[in-house]
Amino acid sequence: MTLNYASVQCVLRMRSAVMLGRRRLSRKALKQSTLFDIPMAPPDGVLGLTETFNADENPNKINLTVGVYKDGWGQVTTFPSVAQAQKIIDMDVGMNTDLSYLPISGCEDFKKHTINFLYRDSCPQDGPALIKNDRISFIQTLSGTGALAVASRLLSSFISKKIWIPKPSWPNHTNIFTQNGFTNPRFYSYYDRGDLTIGRWLQELRHEVGKDSNTKTPHCIVLHACCHNPTGLDPTKKQWEDIMDTIYELGMIPIIDMAYQGLESGKLIDDAYLLRLCLDTSRYRSWDNGLYLCQSFAKNMGLYGERVGSLSIVAPEHVPGVKEVLDSQLKQIIRSMYSSPPGYGSRVAKLVLSNDKLKYQWYSDVETMVNRLKSVREMIHERLQWEEIVNFEQQHGMFYFTKLGPDIVKKLREQYSIYLTNDGRMSLSGVNKSNVDYLCNSIKAVTSSKTLL
């Protein structure tokens, strides 16, 4: 069949009409779509900067944003204890080939050895009785973030939607709790211009929580167990006693975020002192709505991408059957979120925790890491005379709050390719002998005529 010009034009007109109709329909559908009502979310304050850093072509660039430990040569390395555990897994055919799902609550061996580490090794006075009496509801989680997410979902669903978060704090704390039912988080004063504001913090709690004491809904509170992020500044043990006494008197629910156990003192067991304090039955008879511990092996075992952590809830003694109820609800929450946790990282952690040789090597690995972070603080202090950075009684961990303002941080980034978070937090592990002079000279250059406050 041969089409003449008129026929071709007719076909083209028909096609044009169809396309025009589709475009009109498309525009109409788009106008009706509620997708247009979704606002653009702000970029992540850390990962967004890392993307910019990766694209930066300056050979002297320094990334001091991400909380990942790097050695003295600027490399993210595997801890010797973890490397040895990986070799064992590689040689074990059963471990290496079993890729089936873990149970909803996680690997049973991981659960057993993590509970023993947290509540027997770290809390030898009061923890073993909790294990013996089966008062610890435990799940393996997607690192500390997953533990916080599951805990917040449980609390907001059944117990309370009132939460207090330190100001400042890890930005994701607010994100996690608001995404999981806590629509109106409150913030307590923690830090101001280099100093802890504990008096103001406790005064705020007594005033705000105290006047709400007639209601049956308790207030939850997020506590950094050690190595506060972003300031690196922790209360003393005496100050923690005053803090926890107030929290207990007000009937609040402690949510302990223990992401940095070991990075304060270099001693894993020593750094669990806040957990030990909370479990001290001679001081606190019982936490009526449970004690929540969100724990991670990301930082202290270097298992960042493996997402290995746990949520454990110490159930009150006087509420029979509550542990089983908590177990059931935690499983239901996880089933709807991610069904079950990943397996490889939990196998590594379980081996490190269960093998005495690997465990002692791990203790040594953590001490080595902390000693290097202290040496970084000393190098910076030597060049900039920042006294607070070497206040080892209260300044701990991977981060230091420089008090450099946003304009200074921006100049460092744009003029010298030195990347800090916008609030001035510095990840110390990104500093080493080969770049510390460039870092400190750059800071001097941008602050020569300005105050650091």
Side-chain angles (χ1 to χ4, degrees), residues 3-288:
L3 292 176
N4 58 26
Y5 177 79
S7 299
V8 170
Q9 291 299 308
C10 181
V11 170
L12 290 175
R13 283 195 296 271
M14 290 174 63
R15 286 182 178 175
S16 296
V18 170
M19 293 300 295
L20 180 62
R22 285 179 177 173
R23 283 198 294 271
R24 287 173 177 168
L25 181 62
S26 177
R27 289 194 189 103
K28 184 178 180 181
L30 286 173
K31 287 180 180 178
Q32 293 175 346
S33 174
T34 55
L35 289 173
F36 281 111
D37 298 328
I38 301 176
M40 179 70 74
D44 185 87
V46 174
L47 300 183
L49 286 172
T50 299
E51 292 175 2
T52 306
F53 172 84
N54 290 337
D56 193 326
E57 296 181 356
N58 186 340
N60 296 317
K61 64 183 180 180
I62 308 174
N63 188 355
L64 304 177
T65 62
V66 183
V68 174
Y69 176 72
K70 298 177 183 178
D71 63 19
W73 292 269
Q75 301 300 314
V76 179
T77 59
T78 303
F79 288 10
S81 55
V82 170
Q84 292 174 44
Q86 289 178 305
K87 287 182 180 179
I88 293 173
I89 292 173
D90 289 343
M91 292 186 293
D92 188 309
V93 176
M95 275 189 176
N96 204 22
T97 58
D98 184 2
L99 301 179
S100 58
Y101 291 118
L102 289 181
I104 295 173
S105 58
C107 170
E108 283 299 318
D109 283 342
F110 172 81
K111 171 183 176 180
K112 172 187 172 183
H113 292 292
T114 302
I115 286 178
N116 280 335
F117 169 66
L118 293 173
Y119 292 95
R120 196 181 300 279
D121 297 348
S122 300
C123 302
Q125 181 173 334
D126 297 284
L130 298 174
I131 298 173
K132 180 181 178 181
N133 296 325
D134 196 25
R135 285 180 52 201
I136 302 170
S137 181
F138 180 97
I139 55 167
Q140 179 186 334
T141 60
L142 302 180
S143 203
T145 303
L148 288 160
V150 174
S152 59
R153 182 74 63 86
L154 176 76
L155 286 163
S156 67
S157 297
F158 299 104
I159 301 174
S160 174
K161 293 185 179 181
K162 299 176 180 179
I163 186 73
W164 289 80
I165 298 171
K167 183 180 180 180
S169 190
W170 180 44
N172 210 23
H173 275 147
T174 302
N175 185 35
I176 290 168
F177 283 94
T178 55
Q179 292 291 332
N180 286 284
F182 290 85
T183 55
N184 187 30
R186 307 285 294 275
F187 300 92
Y188 61 84
S189 299
Y190 184 85
Y191 170 95
D192 184 36
R193 293 178 175 266
D195 295 316
L196 293 179
T197 54
I198 293 174
R200 195 189 312 168
W201 167 8
L202 299 185
Q203 185 178 16
E204 290 166 356
L205 293 185
R206 291 190 187 101
H207 181 262
E208 297 297 327
V209 180
K211 71 181 182 182
D212 204 23
S213 59
N214 291 329
T215 69
K216 292 184 178 181
T217 304
H219 291 239
C220 308
I221 185 166
V222 175
L223 304 167
H224 295 237
C226 60
C227 305
H228 179 270
N229 180 5
T231 68
L233 195 61
D234 295 321
T236 64
K237 292 181 180 179
K238 176 61 175 68
Q239 288 171 328
W240 270 124
E241 290 176 358
D242 295 338
I243 292 165
M244 296 315 301
D245 286 352
T246 301
I247 289 172
Y248 186 76
E249 289 168 11
L250 293 171
M252 301 182 76
I253 301 173
I255 305 170
I256 300 175
D257 185 351
M258 194 159 70
Y260 297 95
Q261 183 181 2
L263 273 76
E264 175 178 330
S265 65
K267 308 290 185 183
L268 283 153
I269 304 305
D270 289 357
D271 286 3
Y273 59 86
L274 178 57
L275 179 60
R276 284 193 296 275
L277 174 63
C278 292
L279 296 181
D280 184 352
T281 53
S282 67
R283 196 177 191 98
Y284 312 115
R285 189 180 68 84
S286 178
W287 296 94
D288 289 343

Side-chain angles (χ1 to χ4, degrees), residues 49-50 52-54 56-66 380 384 386 402 404-422 424-428 430-431 434-447:
L49 286 172
T50 299
T52 306
F53 172 84
N54 290 337
D56 193 326
E57 296 181 356
N58 186 340
N60 296 317
K61 64 183 180 180
I62 308 174
N63 188 355
L64 304 177
T65 62
V66 183
I380 294 174
L384 295 177
W386 287 354
T402 63
L404 297 173
D407 55 334
I408 299 297
V409 170
K410 185 178 180 181
K411 283 184 178 181
L412 283 171
R413 183 167 63 245
E414 293 181 350
Q415 297 178 19
Y416 297 94
S417 298
I418 294 172
Y419 291 76
L420 284 70
T421 56
N422 291 328
R425 188 194 77 175
M426 177 186 293
S427 180
L428 296 167
V431 182
S434 67
N435 65 19
V436 66
D437 287 327
Y438 177 72
L439 167 67
C440 294
N441 288 336
S442 301
I443 291 174
K444 287 178 181 178
V446 297
T447 60

Side-chain angles (χ1 to χ4, degrees), residues 344-410:
Y344 182 77
S346 63
R347 294 188 187 108
V348 173
K350 183 265 295 185
L351 276 174
V352 172
L353 293 170
S354 62
N355 182 304
D356 286 343
K357 182 180 178 181
L358 295 183
K359 195 173 186 179
Y360 292 133
Q361 178 62 54
W362 176 43
Y363 286 13
S364 176
D365 295 341
V366 172
E367 193 167 4
T368 298
M369 173 171 56
V370 171
N371 287 338
R372 195 188 97 70
L373 292 173
K374 286 183 177 179
S375 73
V376 168
R377 290 175 178 271
E378 289 166 348
M379 287 193 297
I380 294 174
H381 172 258
E382 181 182 340
R383 290 160 176 80
L384 295 177
Q385 287 75 54
W386 287 354
E387 296 300 329
E388 292 171 7
I389 201 169
V390 289
N391 173 15
F392 293 125
E393 288 188 7
Q394 287 190 283
Q395 267 289 341
H396 310 122
M398 194 175 286
F399 303 118
Y400 177 65
F401 218 35
T402 63
K403 301 195 295 291
L404 297 173
D407 55 334
I408 299 297
V409 170
K410 185 178 180 181

